């Protein structure tokens, strides 16, 4: 039966979002429908009703059902998919298991999620691995990002070092844009570099076919865009690489000793002992005492997406279309622009914007750093960036009942927009007015901070 639900405002009734709050930042933490909440509560109730039988015997079977469901979304076999708590845990799990040798290097982009960069630096302390960062030059294109990556690889090898693994986004967070993860995966394969894709924002936002792409490792948060409760992340490791993965983070009952180990370890009492499962699958079956009920909710989330939202393709199309139109409306109101490729012709499709998020420049430049600032834009000092961002975000949250991330990039302040099936263009038109009003208030309340006269700035903002 064809889905007749109109996406946008009619879908909000299926979520628990406060009617006085406009949830424009779905990308950070996600949220899930009440139907999925009911499934979550049911699993939690079953666990509390009979803890030992449920956790020891029922949970592994229920987990297999969810793994099968998520594997179908990614177009890979079930035995190549397991669950971890979040993408940060997933990436650290991979890096923890890679046998780094002196001279090995991790290459990553400066779009990296901050927690992951800190994780890399932690590995630098405890292993012989080194790191090299690709500094993105904006404006940028997919081909430009690939070229910048290859340039870092070339320079690293010229130092006599071995690029062991590359970490890159599927969709970067701040700034938000679709990364050339398909091209980078192919390049890594050609260059004999392990590819680790941080797809935290991937599953549920864009079409993914890992069976065809064949990255070496992939992680993606199901609680961001797939409508699964927090916290739930799929970790994909193809069979060819599963021999590398011998421990979870933290190390738990499924730990696999090295083949050369002569020490005897107490047999695990916390796995299903299913002879059909690989050591890799059993490794992640029980990682300490946690509430794993979110893992079990993947089928319920997919059922909602199919029955209420009309299926994956309809969702992807709606998100990309809404994000594109929303960004244009906000940029038009603020008289700024949207982050995309340089010199993009009107008839050309932006590859960076083929997703459900968009990055829009605010009319606020950083004094002395931006060479492109127009005479009539707002200007702040470099040491006022943090306080300006805090002021804007706190007012969005406390006064206007919404939130969008605001951040500095390329000597300007920018904001990230997240489309979703319960949002429509009128929500972003309202946001555009709010952002314009906030910029006006910032001028009025802190006029001494700006380079221009108050009267000129007010004229620019239409006060």
């Amino acid at each position: 039966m064809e889905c007749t639900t109109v996406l946008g405002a009619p879908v909000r009734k299926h979520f628990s979002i406060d009617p006085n709050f406009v949830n424009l930042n779905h990308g950070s933490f996600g949220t899930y429908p009440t139907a999925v909440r009911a499934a979550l509560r049911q699993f939690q109730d079953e666990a509390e009703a009979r803890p030992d039988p449920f956790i020891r015997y029922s949970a592994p079977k229920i987990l297999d059902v969810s793994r099968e469901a998520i594997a179908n979304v990614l177009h890979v076999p079930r035995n190549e998919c397991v669950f971890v708590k979040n993408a940060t845990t997933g990436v650290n799990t991979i890096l923890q298991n890679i046998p780094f040798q002196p001279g090995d290097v991790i290459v990553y982009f400066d779009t990296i999620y901050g927690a992951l960069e800190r994780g890399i630096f932690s590995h630098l302390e405890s292993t012989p691995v080194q790191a090299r960062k690709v500094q993105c030059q904006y404006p940028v294109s997919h081909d430009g990002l690939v070229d910048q990556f290859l340039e870092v690889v070339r320079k690293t090898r010229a130092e006599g070092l071995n690029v062991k693994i590359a970490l890159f986004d599927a969709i970067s967070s701040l700034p938000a844009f679709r990364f050339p993860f398909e091209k980078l995966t192919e390049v890594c394969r050609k260059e004999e570099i392990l590819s680790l894709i941080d797809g935290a924002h991937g599953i549920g936002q864009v079409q993914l076919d890992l069976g065809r792409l064949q990255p070496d490792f992939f992680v993606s948060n199901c609680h961001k865009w797939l409508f699964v409760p927090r916290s739930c992340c799929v970790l994909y490791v193809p069979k060819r690489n599963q021999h590398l993965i011998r421990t979870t983070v933290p190390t738990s009952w499924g730990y696999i000793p090295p083949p050369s180990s002569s020490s005897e370890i107490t047999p695990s009492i916390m796995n299903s002992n299913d002879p059909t499962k690989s050591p890799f699958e059993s490794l992640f079956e029980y990682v300490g005492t946690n509430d794993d009920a979110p893992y079990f909710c993947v089928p319920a989330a997919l059922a909602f997406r199919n029955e209420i939202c009309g299926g994956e393709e309809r969702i992807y199309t709606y998100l990309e279309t809404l994000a594109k139109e929303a960004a244009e409306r906000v940029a038009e109101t603020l008289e700024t622009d949207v982050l995309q490729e340089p010199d993009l012709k009107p008839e050309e499709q932006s590859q960076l914007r083929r997703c459900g998020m968009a990055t829009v420049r605010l009319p606020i430049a950083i004094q002395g750093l931006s060479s492109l600032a127009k005479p009539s834009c707002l200007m702040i000092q470099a040491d006022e960036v943090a306080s300006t961002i805090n002021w804007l975000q706190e007012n969005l949250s406390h006064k206007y009942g919404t939130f969008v991330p605001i951040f500095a990039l390329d000597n300007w302040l920018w904001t990230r927009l997240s489309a979703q099936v319960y949002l429509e263009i009128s929500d972003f038109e309202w946001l555009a007015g709010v952002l314009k009003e906030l910029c006006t208030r910032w001028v009025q309340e802190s006029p001494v901070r700006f380079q221009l006269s108050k009267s000129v700035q007010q004229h620019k903002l239409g006060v």
Side-chain angles (χ1 to χ4, degrees):
M1 182 181 295
E2 184 178 354
C3 176
T4 58
T5 302
V6 176
L7 300 182
V11 181
R12 293 177 194 172
K13 65 183 179 183
H14 295 285
F15 291 81
S16 301
I17 300 169
D18 185 337
N20 295 316
F21 185 80
V22 184
N23 194 26
L24 298 176
N25 187 33
H26 186 102
S28 281
F29 305 112
T31 191
Y32 50 94
T34 53
V36 178
R37 182 184 65 190
L40 175 71
R41 299 290 188 266
Q42 179 179 343
F43 288 125
Q44 291 172 331
D45 287 347
E46 290 179 15
E48 299 313 309
R50 305 182 71 197
D52 273 280
F54 182 86
I55 294 172
R56 293 176 185 273
Y57 308 119
S58 299
K61 297 177 182 178
I62 301 172
L63 187 64
D64 288 346
V65 174
S66 277
R67 290 175 48 232
E68 183 74 33
I70 208 71
N72 289 337
V73 174
L74 297 177
H75 302 282
V76 294
R78 184 183 76 181
N79 61 11
E80 297 183 336
C81 294
V82 294
F83 289 113
V84 294
K85 290 302 177 184
N86 48 56
T88 301
T89 302
V91 169
N92 275 277
T93 298
I94 299 304
L95 296 182
Q96 183 73 26
N97 279 279
I98 298 297
F100 291 115
Q101 303 297 324
D104 285 347
V105 175
I106 302 170
V107 172
Y108 66 97
F109 287 79
D110 63 0
T111 56
I112 189 172
Y113 183 57
L116 296 185
E117 185 170 40
R118 286 159 174 78
I120 288 175
F121 274 82
S122 176
H123 283 285
L124 301 186
E125 295 181 26
S126 57
T127 72
V129 73
Q130 300 181 46
R132 297 291 184 272
K133 185 191 295 189
V134 181
Q135 300 286 352
C136 299
Q137 303 297 318
Y138 298 97
V140 70
S141 66
H142 274 189
D143 287 342
L145 287 167
V146 173
D147 289 343
Q148 292 168 28
F149 170 75
L150 284 171
E151 178 66 11
V152 170
V153 170
R154 184 189 66 79
K155 289 182 177 179
T156 302
R157 287 174 171 169
E159 298 176 47
L161 301 173
N162 172 50
V163 180
K164 180 75 172 182
I165 189 168
L167 170 62
F168 49 89
D169 301 296
I171 300 171
S172 60
S173 179
L174 298 174
F177 62 87
R178 181 170 177 143
F179 233 70
F181 64 94
E182 300 97 337
K183 290 183 178 180
L184 286 168
T185 300
E186 293 173 5
V187 167
C188 285
R189 186 178 301 115
K190 181 179 179 181
E191 297 292 331
E192 298 184 343
I193 300 169
L194 292 172
S195 56
L196 170 52
I197 303 177
D198 173 14
H201 288 278
I203 195 166
Q205 184 179 170
V206 296
Q207 178 70 47
L208 296 167
D209 188 343
L210 301 189
R212 182 174 61 181
L213 183 61
Q214 285 292 301
D216 289 302
F217 308 101
F218 177 89
V219 301
S220 191
N221 286 327
C222 304
H223 60 254
K224 282 188 181 286
W225 295 88
L226 200 66
F227 303 152
V228 175
R230 293 175 293 272
S231 294
C232 177
C233 173
V234 58
L235 168 60
Y236 162 78
V237 181
K239 290 185 71 174
R240 67 179 183 274
N241 291 330
Q242 290 181 5
H243 68 281
L244 296 171
I245 311 302
R246 298 190 297 104
T247 183
T248 54
V249 174
T251 300
S252 192
W253 285 97
Y255 170 72
I256 304 169
S260 59
S261 175
S262 59
S263 301
E264 293 203 11
I265 298 179
T266 304
S268 173
I269 60 172
M270 293 303 296
N271 63 50
S272 60
N273 294 314
D274 185 341
T276 67
K277 289 183 181 177
S278 66
F280 171 75
E281 294 174 275
S282 298
L283 176 63
F284 291 87
E285 198 165 69
Y286 179 87
V287 184
T289 301
N290 282 291
D291 181 5
D292 289 341
Y295 297 172
F296 309 149
C297 294
V298 171
L302 293 176
F304 174 86
R305 293 169 68 84
N306 184 56
E307 296 166 10
I308 303 300
C309 300
E312 297 301 306
E313 289 300 328
R314 188 175 186 228
I315 294 173
Y316 304 148
T317 300
Y318 185 82
L319 296 183
E320 183 176 336
T321 302
L322 179 57
K324 184 178 186 300
E325 185 176 356
E328 299 294 341
R329 296 288 182 89
V330 173
E332 180 181 7
T333 299
L334 298 178
E335 300 183 55
T336 60
D337 45 55
V338 185
L339 182 67
Q340 60 184 27
E341 296 88 337
D343 304 320
L344 193 68
K345 297 178 182 178
E347 67 274 13
E348 292 179 322
Q349 181 185 27
S350 169
Q351 297 303 305
L352 299 181
R353 296 173 62 184
R354 289 178 48 232
C355 60
M357 296 194 293
T359 303
V360 179
R361 184 169 57 84
L362 298 181
I364 302 177
I366 302 172
Q367 173 73 32
L369 297 179
S370 179
S371 60
L372 301 177
K374 298 179 180 180
S376 54
C377 76
L378 308 180
M379 195 78 73
I380 60 174
Q381 302 296 322
D383 61 359
E384 294 174 317
V385 170
S387 61
T388 302
I389 291 174
N390 288 338
W391 186 90
L392 290 169
Q393 291 186 155
E394 287 179 3
N395 272 272
L396 282 168
S397 180
H398 302 320
K399 179 176 174 62
Y400 295 94
T402 191
F403 189 92
V404 288
I406 296 173
F407 58 97
L409 173 71
D410 200 26
N411 309 322
W412 289 86
L413 296 192
W414 300 71
T415 188
R416 183 185 77 188
L417 310 181
S418 295
Q420 197 41 264
V421 295
Y422 51 73
L423 297 172
E424 52 193 37
I425 192 61
S426 60
D427 296 309
F428 294 97
E429 292 172 335
W430 169 80
L431 172 67
V434 167
L435 290 172
K436 186 170 184 177
E437 182 178 333
L438 278 174
C439 290
T440 302
R441 283 182 53 202
W442 186 232
V443 173
Q444 293 172 336
E445 296 180 16
S446 309
V448 297
R449 289 194 169 116
F450 296 98
Q451 180 183 23
L452 304 177
S453 68
K454 181 176 178 180
S455 60
V456 172
Q457 293 179 43
Q458 288 179 337
H459 174 73
K460 168 68 176 176
L461 293 169
V463 178

PDB file of all heavy atoms in Angstrom, residues 37-57:
ATOM      1  N   ARG A  37       9.525   4.365  20.798  1.00  0.00           N
ATOM      2  CA  ARG A  37       9.616   4.454  22.261  1.00  0.00           C
ATOM      3  C   ARG A  37       8.849   3.306  22.916  1.00  0.00           C
ATOM      4  O   ARG A  37       9.301   2.730  23.918  1.00  0.00           O
ATOM      5  CB  ARG A  37       9.073   5.793  22.752  1.00  0.00           C
ATOM      6  CG  ARG A  37       9.187   5.984  24.264  1.00  0.00           C
ATOM      7  CD  ARG A  37       8.541   7.305  24.679  1.00  0.00           C
ATOM      8  NE  ARG A  37       7.107   7.300  24.422  1.00  0.00           N
ATOM      9  CZ  ARG A  37       6.339   8.389  24.501  1.00  0.00           C
ATOM     10  NH1 ARG A  37       6.879   9.565  24.788  1.00  0.00           N
ATOM     11  NH2 ARG A  37       5.050   8.311  24.255  1.00  0.00           N
ATOM     12  N   ALA A  38       7.711   2.950  22.360  1.00  0.00           N
ATOM     13  CA  ALA A  38       6.928   1.838  22.913  1.00  0.00           C
ATOM     14  C   ALA A  38       7.712   0.534  22.816  1.00  0.00           C
ATOM     15  O   ALA A  38       7.703  -0.288  23.747  1.00  0.00           O
ATOM     16  CB  ALA A  38       5.600   1.726  22.168  1.00  0.00           C
ATOM     17  N   ALA A  39       8.390   0.324  21.696  1.00  0.00           N
ATOM     18  CA  ALA A  39       9.213  -0.885  21.550  1.00  0.00           C
ATOM     19  C   ALA A  39      10.359  -0.872  22.550  1.00  0.00           C
ATOM     20  O   ALA A  39      10.672  -1.904  23.167  1.00  0.00           O
ATOM     21  CB  ALA A  39       9.754  -0.962  20.122  1.00  0.00           C
ATOM     22  N   LEU A  40      10.990   0.294  22.728  1.00  0.00           N
ATOM     23  CA  LEU A  40      12.083   0.417  23.693  1.00  0.00           C
ATOM     24  C   LEU A  40      11.609   0.051  25.094  1.00  0.00           C
ATOM     25  O   LEU A  40      12.268  -0.728  25.802  1.00  0.00           O
ATOM     26  CB  LEU A  40      12.610   1.858  23.674  1.00  0.00           C
ATOM     27  CG  LEU A  40      13.688   2.206  24.702  1.00  0.00           C
ATOM     28  CD1 LEU A  40      15.000   1.532  24.341  1.00  0.00           C
ATOM     29  CD2 LEU A  40      13.865   3.723  24.787  1.00  0.00           C
ATOM     30  N   ARG A  41      10.483   0.603  25.500  1.00  0.00           N
ATOM     31  CA  ARG A  41       9.958   0.337  26.845  1.00  0.00           C
ATOM     32  C   ARG A  41       9.618  -1.141  27.016  1.00  0.00           C
ATOM     33  O   ARG A  41       9.813  -1.721  28.094  1.00  0.00           O
ATOM     34  CB  ARG A  41       8.716   1.196  27.104  1.00  0.00           C
ATOM     35  CG  ARG A  41       8.949   2.691  27.041  1.00  0.00           C
ATOM     36  CD  ARG A  41       9.782   3.193  28.209  1.00  0.00           C
ATOM     37  NE  ARG A  41       9.838   4.638  28.225  1.00  0.00           N
ATOM     38  CZ  ARG A  41      10.799   5.371  27.681  1.00  0.00           C
ATOM     39  NH1 ARG A  41      11.811   4.764  27.074  1.00  0.00           N
ATOM     40  NH2 ARG A  41      10.769   6.691  27.729  1.00  0.00           N
ATOM     41  N   GLN A  42       9.098  -1.762  25.969  1.00  0.00           N
ATOM     42  CA  GLN A  42       8.750  -3.178  26.061  1.00  0.00           C
ATOM     43  C   GLN A  42       9.988  -4.034  26.314  1.00  0.00           C
ATOM     44  O   GLN A  42       9.973  -4.927  27.174  1.00  0.00           O
ATOM     45  CB  GLN A  42       8.054  -3.637  24.780  1.00  0.00           C
ATOM     46  CG  GLN A  42       7.672  -5.118  24.798  1.00  0.00           C
ATOM     47  CD  GLN A  42       6.973  -5.558  23.529  1.00  0.00           C
ATOM     48  OE1 GLN A  42       6.481  -4.733  22.761  1.00  0.00           O
ATOM     49  NE2 GLN A  42       6.953  -6.862  23.293  1.00  0.00           N
ATOM     50  N   PHE A  43      11.059  -3.764  25.590  1.00  0.00           N
ATOM     51  CA  PHE A  43      12.299  -4.521  25.801  1.00  0.00           C
ATOM     52  C   PHE A  43      12.858  -4.274  27.203  1.00  0.00           C
ATOM     53  O   PHE A  43      13.342  -5.198  27.866  1.00  0.00           O
ATOM     54  CB  PHE A  43      13.335  -4.131  24.750  1.00  0.00           C
ATOM     55  CG  PHE A  43      13.030  -4.661  23.373  1.00  0.00           C
ATOM     56  CD1 PHE A  43      12.945  -3.797  22.291  1.00  0.00           C
ATOM     57  CD2 PHE A  43      12.832  -6.018  23.161  1.00  0.00           C
ATOM     58  CE1 PHE A  43      12.665  -4.274  21.023  1.00  0.00           C
ATOM     59  CE2 PHE A  43      12.555  -6.511  21.888  1.00  0.00           C
ATOM     60  CZ  PHE A  43      12.467  -5.640  20.815  1.00  0.00           C
ATOM     61  N   GLN A  44      12.786  -3.035  27.654  1.00  0.00           N
ATOM     62  CA  GLN A  44      13.268  -2.725  28.997  1.00  0.00           C
ATOM     63  C   GLN A  44      12.420  -3.421  30.058  1.00  0.00           C
ATOM     64  O   GLN A  44      12.948  -3.923  31.060  1.00  0.00           O
ATOM     65  CB  GLN A  44      13.272  -1.216  29.211  1.00  0.00           C
ATOM     66  CG  GLN A  44      14.328  -0.494  28.380  1.00  0.00           C
ATOM     67  CD  GLN A  44      14.203   1.011  28.437  1.00  0.00           C
ATOM     68  OE1 GLN A  44      13.103   1.553  28.622  1.00  0.00           O
ATOM     69  NE2 GLN A  44      15.320   1.702  28.295  1.00  0.00           N
ATOM     70  N   ASP A  45      11.119  -3.472  29.839  1.00  0.00           N
ATOM     71  CA  ASP A  45      10.230  -4.157  30.789  1.00  0.00           C
ATOM     72  C   ASP A  45      10.526  -5.651  30.835  1.00  0.00           C
ATOM     73  O   ASP A  45      10.531  -6.272  31.910  1.00  0.00           O
ATOM     74  CB  ASP A  45       8.764  -3.934  30.399  1.00  0.00           C
ATOM     75  CG  ASP A  45       8.301  -2.518  30.688  1.00  0.00           C
ATOM     76  OD1 ASP A  45       9.013  -1.778  31.404  1.00  0.00           O
ATOM     77  OD2 ASP A  45       7.227  -2.129  30.172  1.00  0.00           O
ATOM     78  N   GLU A  46      10.787  -6.238  29.676  1.00  0.00           N
ATOM     79  CA  GLU A  46      11.098  -7.665  29.633  1.00  0.00           C
ATOM     80  C   GLU A  46      12.409  -7.955  30.366  1.00  0.00           C
ATOM     81  O   GLU A  46      12.528  -8.973  31.064  1.00  0.00           O
ATOM     82  CB  GLU A  46      11.201  -8.129  28.176  1.00  0.00           C
ATOM     83  CG  GLU A  46       9.871  -8.147  27.444  1.00  0.00           C
ATOM     84  CD  GLU A  46      10.011  -8.585  26.000  1.00  0.00           C
ATOM     85  OE1 GLU A  46      11.078  -9.137  25.641  1.00  0.00           O
ATOM     86  OE2 GLU A  46       9.063  -8.382  25.224  1.00  0.00           O
ATOM     87  N   ALA A  47      13.370  -7.042  30.221  1.00  0.00           N
ATOM     88  CA  ALA A  47      14.645  -7.227  30.904  1.00  0.00           C
ATOM     89  C   ALA A  47      14.476  -7.146  32.413  1.00  0.00           C
ATOM     90  O   ALA A  47      15.125  -7.890  33.165  1.00  0.00           O
ATOM     91  CB  ALA A  47      15.649  -6.179  30.433  1.00  0.00           C
ATOM     92  N   GLU A  48      13.615  -6.259  32.867  1.00  0.00           N
ATOM     93  CA  GLU A  48      13.409  -6.102  34.312  1.00  0.00           C
ATOM     94  C   GLU A  48      12.542  -7.213  34.890  1.00  0.00           C
ATOM     95  O   GLU A  48      12.684  -7.575  36.061  1.00  0.00           O
ATOM     96  CB  GLU A  48      12.774  -4.741  34.607  1.00  0.00           C
ATOM     97  CG  GLU A  48      13.625  -3.552  34.180  1.00  0.00           C
ATOM     98  CD  GLU A  48      15.073  -3.693  34.609  1.00  0.00           C
ATOM     99  OE1 GLU A  48      15.321  -3.973  35.798  1.00  0.00           O
ATOM    100  OE2 GLU A  48      15.964  -3.560  33.738  1.00  0.00           O
ATOM    101  N   ALA A  49      11.672  -7.750  34.070  1.00  0.00           N
ATOM    102  CA  ALA A  49      10.785  -8.804  34.562  1.00  0.00           C
ATOM    103  C   ALA A  49      11.563 -10.084  34.867  1.00  0.00           C
ATOM    104  O   ALA A  49      11.327 -10.745  35.880  1.00  0.00           O
ATOM    105  CB  ALA A  49       9.688  -9.081  33.541  1.00  0.00           C
ATOM    106  N   ARG A  50      12.504 -10.430  33.999  1.00  0.00           N
ATOM    107  CA  ARG A  50      13.289 -11.653  34.191  1.00  0.00           C
ATOM    108  C   ARG A  50      14.716 -11.378  33.726  1.00  0.00           C
ATOM    109  O   ARG A  50      15.129 -11.793  32.629  1.00  0.00           O
ATOM    110  CB  ARG A  50      12.681 -12.812  33.405  1.00  0.00           C
ATOM    111  CG  ARG A  50      11.206 -13.075  33.703  1.00  0.00           C
ATOM    112  CD  ARG A  50      10.674 -14.263  32.926  1.00  0.00           C
ATOM    113  NE  ARG A  50      11.221 -15.518  33.419  1.00  0.00           N
ATOM    114  CZ  ARG A  50      11.196 -16.672  32.745  1.00  0.00           C
ATOM    115  NH1 ARG A  50      10.684 -16.705  31.523  1.00  0.00           N
ATOM    116  NH2 ARG A  50      11.697 -17.770  33.264  1.00  0.00           N
ATOM    117  N   PRO A  51      15.495 -10.677  34.530  1.00  0.00           N
ATOM    118  CA  PRO A  51      16.813 -10.194  34.084  1.00  0.00           C
ATOM    119  C   PRO A  51      17.724 -11.277  33.518  1.00  0.00           C
ATOM    120  O   PRO A  51      18.257 -11.123  32.414  1.00  0.00           O
ATOM    121  CB  PRO A  51      17.398  -9.566  35.353  1.00  0.00           C
ATOM    122  CG  PRO A  51      16.203  -9.163  36.158  1.00  0.00           C
ATOM    123  CD  PRO A  51      15.183 -10.222  35.902  1.00  0.00           C
ATOM    124  N   ASP A  52      17.964 -12.346  34.249  1.00  0.00           N
ATOM    125  CA  ASP A  52      18.906 -13.355  33.778  1.00  0.00           C
ATOM    126  C   ASP A  52      18.451 -14.047  32.498  1.00  0.00           C
ATOM    127  O   ASP A  52      19.229 -14.121  31.535  1.00  0.00           O
ATOM    128  CB  ASP A  52      19.170 -14.378  34.880  1.00  0.00           C
ATOM    129  CG  ASP A  52      20.299 -13.928  35.803  1.00  0.00           C
ATOM    130  OD1 ASP A  52      21.467 -14.095  35.424  1.00  0.00           O
ATOM    131  OD2 ASP A  52      19.997 -13.365  36.866  1.00  0.00           O
ATOM    132  N   PRO A  53      17.244 -14.582  32.448  1.00  0.00           N
ATOM    133  CA  PRO A  53      16.826 -15.237  31.201  1.00  0.00           C
ATOM    134  C   PRO A  53      16.859 -14.289  30.006  1.00  0.00           C
ATOM    135  O   PRO A  53      17.259 -14.690  28.907  1.00  0.00           O
ATOM    136  CB  PRO A  53      15.403 -15.703  31.500  1.00  0.00           C
ATOM    137  CG  PRO A  53      15.374 -15.876  32.988  1.00  0.00           C
ATOM    138  CD  PRO A  53      16.236 -14.763  33.523  1.00  0.00           C
ATOM    139  N   PHE A  54      16.441 -13.033  30.224  1.00  0.00           N
ATOM    140  CA  PHE A  54      16.407 -12.100  29.093  1.00  0.00           C
ATOM    141  C   PHE A  54      17.814 -11.775  28.623  1.00  0.00           C
ATOM    142  O   PHE A  54      18.121 -11.865  27.427  1.00  0.00           O
ATOM    143  CB  PHE A  54      15.664 -10.812  29.482  1.00  0.00           C
ATOM    144  CG  PHE A  54      15.551  -9.847  28.332  1.00  0.00           C
ATOM    145  CD1 PHE A  54      14.504  -9.957  27.435  1.00  0.00           C
ATOM    146  CD2 PHE A  54      16.492  -8.829  28.136  1.00  0.00           C
ATOM    147  CE1 PHE A  54      14.394  -9.086  26.351  1.00  0.00           C
ATOM    148  CE2 PHE A  54      16.391  -7.957  27.068  1.00  0.00           C
ATOM    149  CZ  PHE A  54      15.339  -8.079  26.163  1.00  0.00           C
ATOM    150  N   ILE A  55      18.694 -11.352  29.536  1.00  0.00           N
ATOM    151  CA  ILE A  55      20.025 -10.895  29.145  1.00  0.00           C
ATOM    152  C   ILE A  55      20.873 -12.048  28.617  1.00  0.00           C
ATOM    153  O   ILE A  55      21.619 -11.895  27.637  1.00  0.00           O
ATOM    154  CB  ILE A  55      20.716 -10.201  30.322  1.00  0.00           C
ATOM    155  CG1 ILE A  55      19.971  -8.899  30.666  1.00  0.00           C
ATOM    156  CG2 ILE A  55      22.179  -9.911  30.012  1.00  0.00           C
ATOM    157  CD1 ILE A  55      20.454  -8.214  31.928  1.00  0.00           C
ATOM    158  N   ARG A  56      20.757 -13.217  29.240  1.00  0.00           N
ATOM    159  CA  ARG A  56      21.618 -14.335  28.851  1.00  0.00           C
ATOM    160  C   ARG A  56      21.126 -15.074  27.610  1.00  0.00           C
ATOM    161  O   ARG A  56      21.941 -15.509  26.778  1.00  0.00           O
ATOM    162  CB  ARG A  56      21.733 -15.335  30.010  1.00  0.00           C
ATOM    163  CG  ARG A  56      22.468 -14.790  31.220  1.00  0.00           C
ATOM    164  CD  ARG A  56      22.456 -15.804  32.363  1.00  0.00           C
ATOM    165  NE  ARG A  56      23.058 -15.267  33.578  1.00  0.00           N
ATOM    166  CZ  ARG A  56      24.360 -15.312  33.866  1.00  0.00           C
ATOM    167  NH1 ARG A  56      25.189 -15.886  33.009  1.00  0.00           N
ATOM    168  NH2 ARG A  56      24.820 -14.806  34.998  1.00  0.00           N
ATOM    169  N   TYR A  57      19.810 -15.225  27.461  1.00  0.00           N
ATOM    170  CA  TYR A  57      19.296 -16.109  26.414  1.00  0.00           C
ATOM    171  C   TYR A  57      18.455 -15.401  25.346  1.00  0.00           C
ATOM    172  O   TYR A  57      18.573 -15.717  24.161  1.00  0.00           O
ATOM    173  CB  TYR A  57      18.485 -17.239  27.048  1.00  0.00           C
ATOM    174  CG  TYR A  57      19.239 -17.954  28.146  1.00  0.00           C
ATOM    175  CD1 TYR A  57      18.764 -17.973  29.454  1.00  0.00           C
ATOM    176  CD2 TYR A  57      20.446 -18.594  27.872  1.00  0.00           C
ATOM    177  CE1 TYR A  57      19.471 -18.607  30.463  1.00  0.00           C
ATOM    178  CE2 TYR A  57      21.164 -19.237  28.877  1.00  0.00           C
ATOM    179  CZ  TYR A  57      20.673 -19.236  30.176  1.00  0.00           C
ATOM    180  OH  TYR A  57      21.383 -19.859  31.173  1.00  0.00           O
TER     181      TYR A  57
END
